[in-house]
Amino acid sequence: MTTSKDFSACVAQYDPNALPVEAAQEIVRQWAMPRASNAQTERVSLHDALGRVLAEDVISPIDVPAFDNSAMDGYAFSGAALARSSGSDTIDLAVAGTAFAGRPFAATPGAAECVRIMTGALMPAGCDTVIPQEHVTRAGDTIRFAAAKIRAGQNRRLSGEDLAKGKPALLAGRIVRASDLGLLASLGIADVSVHKRLVVAFFSTGDELRSVGETLSPGSVYDSNRYTLFAMLKRLGVETIDLGVVRDDRASLEKALREATARADVVISSGGVSVGDADFTRELMSSLGDIAFWKIAMRPGRPLAFGRLWSGARPGAGKPALFFGLPGNPVAVMATFYFIVREALLAMSGAAHQPLTVIRARAAEPIKKRAGRTEFQRGIATREADGRWSVVTTGSQGSGVLSSMSEANCFIVLEHARGEIDAGEDVEIVPFDGLI
Ligand code: AMP
Ligand code: MG
C-alpha cells in the first residue's frame, strides 16, 4: 500500500492550490491501484456478464468455426479444376448432391464434380472453393461458370479463422460488451469469472438542498447531483450506496465520511469544497486521512479535494477508501467525474485502461477561453458535408447550468496553455455517446 509519505512526494512537485489537470490525473492514477479485494471474483452467467470486468483471460476451448464451411450459397468444388482448365474460358461440373448447414454431403465428389452448398455448410471432402450461385448457369445436373470469376480457395471459411482453440479469446480486464456475449456463446461458454463490483458511496452536502419529494422553501434547491452521480456510476458498472444529503456542519459531515469510508472502496461527495467551506472541510479531512490536492486548474471543477480517508480513529487505522470531494455545481460534478474520477474507478474495478474517444473538430465560432486552466465546455458537434466535424458551444457555460449538459453532445476540451479560440481553429472534442 502507498504510504502517506509517497503521497506527499508525488504532490510536492506541484502547487496543490492550482494543479494542472494532467498532473491531477497522474496523481489520481498513482493512487487508484486495483483494490486488494480484486482478488475476490465471482462467476456470472452470460446475461449477467454485460458491463462486468473479466477477472481472467478466456481461453477458447474450441476452434471457431469448428470446421471449414462455405461463406456463400453456391457450388463447392476442388480448386484443382481451375488449374486443369487453363486455356478454356468456362468450366463445366456435374452436381453430385447438396450440402446444407447442419446436413453435410457425405460422399467425396469426383474431379469433374461439384456439390450444391449453402452458407455455413461443411465443405465436402476434397472441396476448397465455392463459386457463388449468381456466377453459375445451371442446366439439369450440370453447371457452367467463367473461370475468371473465381480463384482457388475463395468463399471458404477456414476452421479456427475466427478463434483458434487454446488461444485467448478475451483478456482479463476486458469490460464485457454486446459482441463479447455473442463471442462467448459461440465458444459454448455459459459463465465467466468477473471482478466483484467496486463499491462507491456518495452524498451531497448543503443546507440549501432538498430531496425530490420535499417542498422547496425560499432559498432552497433540489439536490440534482445525487441523481447525476447515481447515473454516471451505474453506467460504469459499480455498486452504489446513496447516503443522501448531509448538512453543512462538522459533526454531520464527519459521520457521513466515516460511514462511507467504512462501507465503500471509494467515497464521492459534492459541495462544500469551495473557498467559503474549504477551511472547515480541510480541517476535518486532515483528521480523517490525507488530502493530495484541493484545487485543479480546470473549469468547471476548480475546487476538488482528492485523497484517502480512514475509517478508524486516526489516519492509517481501520479501512481506507479513496475520496473525491467534488464541487457542488452540477456541471462541475459531471466534468470532474468524467475527467478526474472515471479512470480511477475503472482501474480500481480491475478494468484495462479505457481511454476516452477524442476527435478533432473545427470551431465554427470563436470560443472564449482563458489561458492557465483546462476548460471543458459543452459543445454541439455536427458532421459537415465534407465528413469533418465542426463544433459550437451550447452558449452559457455557467457551471450551474445543467441543461447545457442535456443540450450538448460533447465536451470541448481546451488545453491549459491555450487562449481565445478563433473560428476555424481545430479543437478536441470528447463525444458523449459510444456505440457499444
Ligand atoms: P458549493 O460547492 O457547496 O459551494 O455549491 C456550489 C453551488 O452548487 C451552489 O449554488 C449550490 O447550491 C449548488 N449545489 C451544491 N450541491 C448541489 C446539489 N447536490 N444539487 C444541486 N445543486 C447543488
Ligand atoms: Mg455547499
Side-chain angles (χ1 to χ4, degrees), residues 341-366:
V341 182
R342 172 186 171 275
E343 191 183 316
L345 298 187
L346 288 171
M348 292 179 77
S349 300
H353 182 50
Q354 318 276 321
L356 292 169
T357 302
V358 181
I359 296 174
R360 288 213 148 266
R362 196 174 42 81
E365 300 167 355

Side-chain angles (χ1 to χ4, degrees), residues 203-206 208-210 219 221-226 245 248 270-277 303 326-330 333 399-400:
F203 58 86
S204 298
T205 68
E208 77 282 25
L209 300 180
R210 298 290 174 273
V221 296
Y222 282 120
D223 173 7
S224 59
N225 290 344
R226 252 162 66 229
V245 175
D248 283 321
S270 73
V273 287
S274 52
V275 179
D277 316 293
L326 306 186
N329 275 309
V333 166
S399 56

Side-chain angles (χ1 to χ4, degrees), residues 50-68:
L50 189 66
R52 300 296 301 270
V53 181
L54 291 181
E56 309 168 346
D57 293 354
V58 175
I59 306 298
S60 182
I62 55 170
D63 280 330
V64 178
F67 49 89
D68 291 3

Side-chain angles (χ1 to χ4, degrees), residues 3-285:
T3 65
S4 85
K5 214 168 127 223
D6 301 330
F7 201 10
S8 344
C10 71
V11 179
Q13 48 188 309
Y14 305 107
D15 172 6
N17 276 322
L19 213 52
V21 167
E22 290 75 19
Q25 287 167 331
E26 184 52 38
I27 291 169
V28 172
R29 203 168 289 138
Q30 286 177 26
W31 271 70
M33 293 304 167
R35 317 155 276 170
S37 59
N38 262 358
Q40 293 173 18
T41 61
E42 54 189 335
R43 287 203 86 81
V44 293
S45 69
L46 290 192
H47 283 141
D48 294 327
L50 189 66
R52 300 296 301 270
V53 181
L54 291 181
E56 309 168 346
D57 293 354
V58 175
I59 306 298
S60 182
I62 55 170
D63 280 330
V64 178
F67 49 89
D68 291 3
N69 67 88
S70 176
M72 298 283 227
D73 289 345
Y75 294 84
F77 62 100
S78 163
L82 297 168
R84 272 200 314 278
S85 76
S86 63
S88 71
D89 291 345
T90 58
I91 295 179
D92 293 322
L93 296 171
V95 181
T98 306
F100 296 97
R103 257 196 294 149
F105 176 73
T108 304
E113 288 183 325
C114 66
V115 174
R116 170 91 176 110
I117 194 163
M118 307 304 164
T119 306
L122 175 78
M123 289 294 281
C127 295
D128 60 4
T129 308
V130 175
I131 177 86
Q133 59 191 22
E134 54 272 26
H135 294 327
V136 165
T137 48
R138 180 164 175 169
D141 275 345
T142 308
I143 61 163
R144 169 168 291 184
F145 56 91
K149 286 286 185 203
I150 187 94
R151 288 194 312 280
Q154 275 186 323
N155 302 317
R156 171 187 50 162
R157 300 176 185 146
L158 289 172
S159 147
E161 79 175 20
D162 189 353
L163 297 164
K165 181 176 176 176
K167 292 269 162 55
L170 294 171
L171 299 179
R174 171 93 181 171
I175 300 176
V176 176
R177 297 177 172 190
S179 54
D180 302 334
L181 285 196
L183 189 147
L184 290 162
S186 77
L187 299 176
I189 292 174
D191 49 43
V192 285
S193 168
V194 297
H195 289 293
K196 286 247 160 90
R197 288 185 197 276
L198 188 75
V199 181
V200 180
F202 62 99
F203 58 86
S204 298
T205 68
D207 288 336
E208 77 282 25
L209 300 180
R210 298 290 174 273
S211 293
V212 174
E214 294 176 354
T215 344
L216 281 189
S217 47
S220 61
V221 296
Y222 282 120
D223 173 7
S224 59
N225 290 344
R226 252 162 66 229
Y227 287 85
T228 326
L229 275 171
F230 166 82
M232 295 188 296
L233 290 166
K234 276 284 162 208
R235 283 288 200 94
L236 278 193
V238 303
E239 192 177 315
T240 55
I241 302 176
D242 181 344
L243 293 176
V245 175
V246 174
R247 297 298 157 209
D248 283 321
D249 67 74
R250 192 190 151 109
S252 308
L253 188 56
E254 175 165 355
K255 185 165 164 286
L257 285 169
R258 279 198 196 279
E259 181 186 350
T261 306
R263 291 176 63 187
D265 301 304
V266 178
V267 178
I268 301 178
S269 67
S270 73
V273 287
S274 52
V275 179
D277 316 293
D279 288 346
F280 136 73
T281 318
R282 192 184 298 227
E283 186 196 305
L284 180 57
M285 296 300 165

